């Protein structure tokens, strides 16, 4: 079994991005800028935003966090996004989810200019990805994709099973695997025989949120297993895959932590740089 070391691959990617940022700064006389909007004081969101800010600074991006109290009016957030859309020093805008109940998530996402939508959640980016056009790809599936490709160059004809159909993970992951000519099965909470589907897979991407759902006897040997799950349990953070069992069978597997998580943040930086390049392509 090969352990797919997301921490190492993410560190290599961040090094490449750092180099690219320094070249872009020299060429355009300005750095790509990432602005994060954080609403309320939920601890996980605070932690994620701090990690994103630190990573952005490390590769030389200009980063800014705009904080609002939980009770902020929706209109104030939308106005700020409109302002950032027009601000030439901002290449990427990210609104940290989840949002307080009184704020309409879809309205917020749709207010972000598609060209600055570093999360790839805007319907224009979602549509472009599913049509095979250039788009910003959501950070976690992009990270999974890069890990798979690092390990296996040619995915054509492989059977891929995506467990979970969220807009954040499962659906964009499916699009990326389809683009690589995989035969993709997307499974979810109503799938009748999840074990049977997983047993046909050459590649499994699990993005469910159920600790250790995918078991050792669900996986055939030679399968690549990518575990997106981050679940807090009594024994610490575990993924959606029963690592101890599955790692005995699979050809390759990502650990949790240290697998997909570090790639998500590195891909956010990558997306910010891609947005900057597209926004400045005429200069
Ligand atoms: P979600 O709750 O939005 O979606 C979960 C999906 O799993 C749904 O489509 C549902 O149909 C499916 N599902 C539920 N029960 C199932 C079952 N018994 N069998 C098969 N499918 C089932 O979750 P999400 O936002 O996609 O996140 C999934 C996991 O990934 C969570 O643990 C989350 O914390 C983690 N996550 C990790 C990262 C990272 O960077 N590593 C990023 C985002 C999310």
């Amino acid at each position: 079994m090969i352990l797919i070391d997301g921490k190492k691959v993410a560190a290599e990617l961040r090094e490449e991005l750092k180099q690219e940022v320094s070249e872009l700064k020299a060429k355009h006389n300005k750095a790509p800028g990432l602005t994060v909007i954080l609403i309320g004081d939920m601890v996980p969101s605070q932690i994620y935003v701090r990690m994103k800010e630190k990573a952005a600074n490390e590769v030389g991006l200009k980063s800014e966090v705009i904080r609002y109290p939980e009770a902020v009016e929706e209109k104030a957030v939308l106005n700020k996004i409109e302002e950032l859309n027009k601000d030439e020093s901002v290449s990427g805008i990210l609104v940290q989810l989840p949002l307080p109940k009184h704020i309409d998530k879809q309205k917020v996402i749709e207010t972000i200019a598609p060209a600055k939508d570093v999360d790839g959640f805007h319907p224009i980016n979602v549509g472009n990805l599913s049509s095979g056009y250039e788009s910003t790809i959501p950070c976690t599936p992009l990270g999974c994709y890069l890990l798979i490709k690092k390990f296996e160059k040619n995915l054509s004809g492989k059977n891929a099973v995506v467990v979970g159909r969220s807009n954040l993970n499962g659906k964009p992951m499916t699009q990326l695997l389809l683009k690589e000519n995989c035969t993709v099965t997307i499974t979810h909470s109503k799938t009748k025989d999840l074990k049977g589907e997983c047993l046909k897979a050459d590649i499994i991407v699990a993005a469910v949120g159920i600790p250790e759902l995918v078991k050792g006897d669900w996986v055939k040997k030679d399968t690549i297993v990518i575990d997106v799950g981050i679940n807090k349990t009594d024994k610490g953070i575990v993924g959606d895959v029963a690592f101890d069992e599955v790692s005995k069978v699979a050809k390759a597997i990502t650990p949790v932590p240290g697998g997909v998580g570090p790639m998500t943040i590195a891909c956010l930086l990558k997306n910010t740089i891609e947005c900057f390049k597209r926004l400045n392509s005429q200069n």
Side-chain angles (χ1 to χ4, degrees):
M1 180 276 299
I2 292 169
L3 193 69
I4 304 179
D5 187 346
K7 224 168 150 181
K8 181 163 168 267
V9 180
E12 288 164 4
L13 176 57
R14 285 202 310 270
E15 246 345 279
E16 284 168 29
L17 296 175
K18 196 172 170 179
Q19 179 62 35
E20 193 173 7
V21 169
S22 119
E23 286 163 17
L24 287 170
K25 268 185 186 167
K27 183 173 174 202
H28 296 278
N29 221 5
K30 58 179 177 182
L34 172 65
T35 298
V36 177
I37 296 181
L38 173 61
I39 303 170
D41 46 20
M42 277 181 59
V43 175
S45 294
Q46 304 269 357
I47 295 172
Y48 287 137
V49 168
R50 217 173 305 135
M51 285 162 70
K52 289 169 184 175
E53 196 182 13
K54 183 168 171 273
N57 288 330
E58 274 169 14
V59 300
L61 299 182
K62 179 173 132 348
S63 84
E64 179 192 23
V65 180
I66 298 171
R67 293 183 165 80
Y68 287 109
E70 178 90 15
V72 64
E73 278 185 30
E74 183 184 273
K75 192 71 197 142
V77 178
L78 299 180
N79 287 345
K80 176 52 80 177
I81 295 172
E82 301 277 14
E83 197 185 298
L84 296 170
N85 285 343
K86 293 186 205 119
D87 184 339
E88 286 190 8
S89 73
V90 175
S91 344
I93 304 167
L94 181 155
V95 180
Q96 183 64 41
L97 301 177
L99 296 175
K101 285 202 173 63
H102 66 281
I103 298 183
D104 182 339
K105 181 176 90 175
Q106 200 55 24
K107 221 189 236 176
V108 166
I109 289 172
E110 289 183 23
T111 303
I112 299 173
K116 295 190 177 186
D117 165 37
V118 276
D119 261 335
F121 295 160
H122 192 288
I124 298 261
N125 280 317
V126 176
N128 280 343
L129 175 62
S130 74
S131 306
Y133 301 136
E134 187 176 60
S135 68
T136 302
I137 299 163
C139 304
T140 302
L142 176 58
C144 295
Y145 168 80
L146 294 176
L147 286 178
I148 298 169
K149 286 289 281 183
K150 189 103 193 163
F151 186 77
E152 189 94 43
K153 292 275 171 288
N154 183 7
L155 305 180
S156 185
K158 302 237 179 257
N159 287 329
V161 170
V162 178
V163 191
R165 59 177 159 185
S166 69
N167 290 339
L168 180 67
N169 290 311
K171 283 184 196 152
M173 191 69 234
T174 302
Q175 299 298 343
L176 291 170
L177 292 164
L178 264 180
K179 243 175 138 174
E180 288 290 322
N181 297 318
C182 290
T183 302
V184 189
T185 304
I186 183 156
T187 64
H188 45 78
S189 54
K190 303 287 184 282
T191 296
K192 288 231 170 76
D193 180 15
L194 187 57
K195 175 180 174 180
E197 297 299 340
C198 286
L199 274 170
K200 290 181 223 154
D202 303 310
I203 299 165
I204 296 175
V205 180
V208 189
I210 298 180
E212 303 184 322
L213 173 74
V214 178
K215 307 284 186 259
D217 63 352
W218 293 23
V219 176
K220 63 184 175 69
K221 73 174 177 53
D222 288 348
T223 301
I224 301 170
V225 181
I226 306 292
D227 190 352
V228 179
I230 300 178
N231 307 295
K232 258 193 189 162
T233 69
D234 294 342
K235 59 175 187 176
I237 302 281
V238 301
D240 292 339
V241 175
F243 182 88
D244 290 348
E245 296 175 16
V246 174
S247 59
K248 291 197 179 90
V249 193
K251 176 160 78 173
I253 184 168
T254 56
V256 176
V260 174
M263 288 301 287
T264 296
I265 299 215
C267 287
L268 170 65
L269 310 177
K270 184 175 167 56
N271 281 352
T272 306
I273 294 165
E274 293 303 323
C275 287
F276 176 88
K277 287 196 290 193
R278 275 184 233 129
L279 287 163
N280 290 281
S281 61
Q282 310 303 335
N283 308 345

